[in-house]
C-alpha cells in the first residue's frame, strides 16, 4: 500500500469517525453548551471556594446548589405550563361546545365538528407529549450537571489544553482568539445581569405606578422578571402582559394600555435589542450593529444558544479577518 492510498484511507476513516462523533454528541449540544456557559459564569465563585476546599469539593458544592435551583425552577415551570395547557384545552372545549349549541346551518355545523375533531386530539397529544418528555428532560439535566461539574474542575486547564492542539506557529493567534472569546463572554454575562436587575426594578415600579395588585405583588413581579429574563423565550414581557390583562379585567383600559407601553419600552422587548447590544459593545470593544446582528442572527441560526454564540462567533471572525489582513499585507 503506497503512501497516497494510505492517506486516503485514513482520511476517510477520520471523516467517518468525526461524523459519527457529531451524530452522537449533537442531541446533547444544548445541555453541553449551557453546562459550560454556567460553569464559566460561576467560575469566579469556584475560584474563591477552591482556595478553602479542593477543586472537586468546590465544584460538587456548586453543582448541588445548581441542582436545587434547577429543580425548583423546573418544578415551577412545569406546574405553570401544565396549568396553562390544561386551562387552554378546557377553554377550547368550552368554545366548541358553545359553537355546536348554536342554531347553525348544516354546512357550518359540519365545519365546526370537523375543526373540533382535528384540534382537540392534537391539544390532547401536546399535553401527553409534554408529560412523556419528562424523562428526556431528566436526561438532559443529568448531562448538564456532569458538564457543569467537570467544567469547573478542569476549567483552569482549558486554555493550556486548547493551545496544545494548535501548531506552535499558530499559538499566538489562538491565544488572541481565546482572549477575545473570554472578553466577549464577560461582556455578555455582565450586560445580561445588569439589564436583568434594571428590568426587575422597572417592573416593580411599573406595577406600583399602574396599581397592579399591592406592593407585595409588585415585588414578586420584579423577582419573576429577573428570573424569566434569563430565559429568552419567556423574558419580562410575560409580567407586563399579565398586568395588562389584570387591569383590563378590572375595567381599567387606560391602565392596561399604559403598562403595555411602559413594559414594552422599558422592560421587554425594546431594551433587549437596544440597551443590551450597547452594553455588550462597550465592554467587548465591538460595534453595536455587529452585536445586534450576532444576537438576532445567532438566535435565528442556533436557537437559544445563538444569543451567546452569535456575538462570540462574529467577534472571533473579526480576529481572523484581522490576521488575514496582516498575512496578506506581509505577502505583498
Amino acid at each position: 500500500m503506497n503512501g497516497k492510498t494510505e492517506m486516503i484511507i485514513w482520511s476517510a476513516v477520520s471523516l467517518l469517525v468525526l461524523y459519527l462523533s457529531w451524530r452522537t454528541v449533537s442531541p446533547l449540544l444544548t445541555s453541553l453548551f449551557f453546562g459550560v456557559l454556567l460553569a464559566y459564569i460561576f467560575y469566579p465563585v469556584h475560584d474563591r471556594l477552591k482556595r478553602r476546599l479542593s477543586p472537586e469539593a468546590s465544584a460538587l458544592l456548586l453543582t448541588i446548589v445548581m441542582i436545587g435551583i434547577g429543580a425548583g425552577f423546573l418544578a415551577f415551570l412545569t406546574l405553570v405550563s401544565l396549568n396553562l395547557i390544561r386551562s387552554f384545552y378546557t377553554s377550547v372545549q368550552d368554545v366548541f361546545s358553545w359553537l355546536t349549541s348554536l342554531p347553525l346551518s348544516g354546512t357550518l355545523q359540519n365545519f365546526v365538528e370537523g375543526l373540533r375533531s382535528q384540534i382537540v386530539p392534537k391539544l390532547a397529544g401536546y399535553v401527553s407529549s409534554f408529560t412523556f418528555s419528562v424523562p428526556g428532560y431528566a436526561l438532559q439535566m443529568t448531562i448538564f450537571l456532569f458538564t457543569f461539574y467537570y467544567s469547573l474542575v478542569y476549567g483552569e486547564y482549558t486554555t493550556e489544553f486548547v493551545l496544545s492542539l494548535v501548531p506552535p506557529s499558530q499559538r499566538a493567534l489562538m491565544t488572541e482568539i481565546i482572549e477575545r472569546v473570554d472578553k466577549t463572554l464577560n461582556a455578555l454575562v455582565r450586560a445580561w445581569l445588569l439589564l436583568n436587575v434594571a428590568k426587575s426594578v422597572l417592573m416593580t415600579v411599573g406595577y406600583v405606578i399602574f396599581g397592579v395588585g399591592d406592593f407585595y405583588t409588585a415585588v414578586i413581579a420584579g423577582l419573576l422578571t429577573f428570573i424569566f429574563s434569563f430565559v429568552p423565550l419567556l423574558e419580562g414581557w410575560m409580567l407586563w402582559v399579565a398586568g395588562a390583562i389584570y387591569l383590563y379585567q378590572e375595567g381599567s383600559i387606560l391602565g392596561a394600555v399604559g403598562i403595555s407601553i411602559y413594559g414594552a419600552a422599558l422592560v421587554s422587548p425594546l431594551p433587549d435589542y437596544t440597551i443590551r447590544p450597547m452594553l455588550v459593545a462597550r465592554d467587548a470593544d465591538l460595534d453595536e450593529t455587529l452585536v445586534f446582528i450576532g444576537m438576532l442572527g445567532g438566535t435565528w441560526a442556533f436557537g437559544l444558544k445563538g444569543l451567546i454564540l452569535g456575538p462570540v462567533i462574529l467577534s472571533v471572525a473579526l480576529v481572523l479577518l484581522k490576521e488575514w489582513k496582516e498575512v496578506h499585507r506581509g505577502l505583498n
Side-chain angles (χ1 to χ4, degrees):
M1 183 183 296
N2 58 41
K4 186 176 181 180
T5 305
E6 186 176 351
M7 178 63 70
I8 292 173
I9 292 174
W10 277 110
S11 298
V13 171
S14 299
L15 289 174
L16 178 62
V17 171
L18 287 174
Y19 171 73
L20 294 176
S21 300
W22 169 255
R23 290 294 302 270
T24 302
V25 173
S26 58
L28 307 173
L29 274 181
T30 300
S31 299
L32 294 170
F33 174 78
F34 283 106
V36 173
L37 178 63
L38 266 293
Y40 177 84
I41 293 172
F42 280 89
Y43 196 82
V45 180
H46 169 69
D47 194 40
R48 293 180 181 179
L49 281 176
K50 72 179 183 180
R51 297 171 190 171
R52 300 181 180 182
L53 308 170
S54 66
E56 291 80 8
S58 173
L60 180 61
L61 178 62
L62 289 174
T63 303
I64 292 171
V65 172
M66 190 61 61
I67 289 173
I69 295 173
F73 189 59
L74 183 61
F76 173 76
L77 285 180
T78 301
L79 288 175
V80 171
S81 300
L82 284 175
N83 286 333
L84 286 174
I85 292 172
R86 287 169 182 167
S87 176
F88 182 69
Y89 178 77
T90 304
S91 299
V92 170
Q93 285 276 46
D94 292 340
V95 168
F96 278 115
S97 298
W98 173 72
L99 286 174
T100 53
S101 66
L102 296 175
L104 302 175
S105 64
T107 304
L108 283 176
Q109 192 77 23
N110 291 335
F111 174 76
V112 171
E113 288 291 345
L115 196 62
R116 181 177 187 175
S117 64
Q118 293 181 17
I119 292 179
V120 173
K122 287 185 178 180
L123 288 175
Y126 289 145
V127 175
S128 61
S129 65
F130 183 86
T131 303
F132 285 113
S133 62
V134 170
Y137 292 147
L139 175 62
Q140 295 280 3
M141 180 62 70
T142 303
I143 299 298
F144 162 79
L145 292 172
F146 272 102
T147 306
F148 178 78
Y149 172 81
Y150 285 107
S151 296
L152 289 175
V153 172
Y154 298 108
E156 61 182 311
Y157 306 110
T158 302
T159 300
E160 182 181 345
F161 173 73
V162 172
L163 290 177
S164 70
L165 301 175
V166 180
S169 60
Q170 299 298 321
R171 284 181 183 172
L173 174 60
M174 182 54 67
T175 301
E176 187 178 356
I177 289 174
I178 292 173
E179 290 175 354
R180 171 55 67 178
V181 170
D182 182 57
K183 191 172 185 178
T184 306
L185 280 175
N186 260 313
L188 285 164
V189 171
R190 193 180 300 114
W192 213 292
L193 288 173
L194 289 174
L195 189 59
N196 289 357
V197 170
K199 292 197 306 188
S200 66
V201 172
L202 288 170
M203 194 73 268
T204 300
V205 172
Y207 264 52
V208 172
I209 291 175
F210 293 99
V212 184
D214 53 16
F215 181 74
Y216 175 77
T217 303
V219 171
I220 295 298
L223 179 62
L224 290 176
T225 299
F226 178 78
I227 295 173
F228 286 164
S229 292
F230 289 98
V231 185
L233 288 180
L234 300 181
E235 289 289 356
W237 62 266
M238 293 184 65
L239 277 302
W240 64 255
V241 167
I245 293 173
Y246 169 81
L247 291 174
Y248 178 79
Q249 291 176 341
E250 292 294 313
S252 177
I253 298 177
L254 190 61
V257 173
I259 197 172
S260 298
I261 297 173
Y262 176 92
L266 299 180
V267 179
S268 179
L270 191 59
D272 300 315
Y273 297 101
T274 54
I275 298 175
R276 184 178 291 163
M278 290 171 58
L279 292 173
V280 175
R282 183 193 64 187
D283 292 341
D285 294 330
L286 294 172
D287 183 75
E288 295 174 13
T289 305
L290 189 73
V291 176
F292 175 77
I293 292 173
M295 288 181 171
L296 200 63
T299 307
W300 199 342
F302 304 108
L304 300 184
K305 302 183 291 296
L307 277 173
I308 303 294
L309 284 176
V312 171
I313 290 171
L314 293 184
S315 178
V316 172
L318 284 180
V319 175
L320 295 175
L321 180 61
K322 177 183 174 183
E323 178 66 15
W324 180 82
K325 287 175 64 179
E326 292 293 331
V327 172
H328 186 69
R329 186 179 302 155
L331 292 175
N332 292 335

